Amino acid sequence: MDYDLLIRGGTVVSSQDMAKADVAISGGQIVAVGALVGSAREVIDASGMFVMPGGVDTHVHLAQPSRGPEMCDDFGTGSASAAAGGTTTVVCFAWQGKGESLAEVVKDYHQRARQSMVDYAFHLTITDATPAVLDQELPSLVEEGNRSIKVFMTYDGVRLDDAAVIRVLAAARRNKALVCVHAEHHDLISWMGEQLVAAGLTAPKYHPWGKPMIAEREAVNRIVALAEALDVPIQVFHVSGKQSAEEIARAQARGLKVWGETCVHYLTLVAEDLDKPGFEGAKLVFGPPARTKADQEALWDYMRRGIIEVISSDHAPTRYDDPKGKKFAGEDGPFTQIPNGIPGLAARLPVLFTEGVTKGRIDPPTFVRLVSTNPAKLVGLHPKKGAIAPGSDADVVVWDPKKTVTLTNAVMHHGGDYTPYEGYQATGYPIRVLVRGVTVFDDGKVVGKAGHGKYLARAPYEKITPLGRFPTPFNPVDRKIV
Ligand code: URP
Ligand code: ZN
Ligand code: ZN
């Protein structure tokens, strides 16, 4: 036999173009792409199908330990959900609690991730930026391949103040790591929440009122300024609308290494969607919140122009009908106590394809760029991930662009009890999903084995190389004149 597997007769969609081609796989890698002859142990007939690189989701919360509400996906259920939606690589959060050793957290997280059926890498979430963490633990953790750090500018118990954010930025630059940021003005949204609750406006539908766009825009502007001052590449997570996207565009126009991510829910949901009977709106509580139709149109525009380059899920699921989930503070509890976050791993590709390609907003190569190639590049995994090319891992999605599926909780294959997309008609769906040449999803069924997924250590890469540009002739991070 010439190959382990031959995918014949499909249209290969790359980040640049699309063309009819066969794809040959051996030893878990793509070995040839083109008009191929030769024999294979297995042949997949992909006529009428798109053949695309597996989705790379660089914002996924799985198996996060919690002292409060509990996330309902571990790496077993979470990776099954990823596979079911055509995602073959996830980047998850090794999350430091206050007072904890980051090194211990990462060690424990490796154990948790062992049951994954898709490949995975880690962001390091720093909530306690002590000298011990930044100076003693971080260098070896980054060197081991954890080349991205996550910081929160809001949320009690996890947020860093500006002084701590600056220390993390400096440490990231010294150690060659990307900094990913949750940007919202903490004091403003805390105060807003207090005023709404005091006024008796406590229902889930008031959550977007408590987190107005101005709070996000200000924080995006601030983190860009700090990153510019220290010359550190950053990615702003979950850009929810026009004003924040404008800040990213302005930063990019100044030549800064500032990238923006948005999520499928910002393209599909608006603030009014939380206005549901009873407590149902809690199913759509996430931060920053859903905005307006005009914001959605602006995000599509920024995506087409390449300013917003990455679409993630921000899969952060808690169960709805559960005192450890959305009902943590009871159905009468104020929106300020509803855990933020929604499930979205399995829905990411089908919903974006439907809204984007099927409805004519973007072409298939742009889709591939947004969900696979760009995220892989941004976190230093390309071309191993995010490409259909000889030498790349054989992470492949055979995609039926015409298949219509009604989304339900069952087809999400996750650990949660709801999907925000219940009843949504997706047109465009994965038929078969391979991780390093092994089938993990086949015709509606998750068939991958727990433990097939591998940890992806990341070496330094071009995107995280600083510009070497400071506001003055002094490089404050290395304390030298440039
Ligand atoms: O609402 C959200 N996004 N929850 C998950 C944690 C985060 O902010 O990314
Ligand atoms: Zn966030
Ligand atoms: Zn998140």
Side-chain angles (χ1 to χ4, degrees), residues 309-323:
E309 303 190 301
V310 168
I311 311 288
S312 304
S313 66
D314 191 4
H315 182 80
T318 55
R319 290 170 58 81
Y320 171 67
D321 199 8
D322 195 325

Side-chain angles (χ1 to χ4, degrees), residues 59 61 93 95 150-152 154-155 181-184 237-238 261 266 287-288 314:
H59 190 160
H61 300 269
F93 297 85
W95 188 297
K150 164 80 183 285
V151 294
F152 283 89
T154 187
Y155 291 134
V181 188
H182 179 125
E184 287 184 284
F237 270 170
H238 38 49
E261 166 214 79
Y266 297 112
D314 191 4

Side-chain angles (χ1 to χ4, degrees), residues 391-458:
S392 293
D393 280 355
D395 296 351
V396 180
V397 182
V398 179
W399 184 274
D400 185 343
K402 299 255 166 356
K403 182 169 173 151
T404 296
V405 173
T406 302
L407 301 190
T408 61
N409 193 49
V411 302
M412 299 293 104
H413 294 274
H414 58 198
D417 59 353
Y418 80 97
T419 167
Y421 302 104
E422 188 72 35
Y424 179 90
Q425 295 280 308
T427 302
Y429 217 76
I431 297 299
R432 180 119 166 209
V433 180
L434 312 172
V435 175
R436 281 176 283 102
V438 172
T439 300
V440 293
F441 181 73
D442 190 4
D443 202 16
K445 292 188 197 64
V446 175
V447 296
K449 298 270 178 301
H452 175 65
K454 280 198 163 65
Y455 169 70
L456 302 163
R458 295 175 283 147

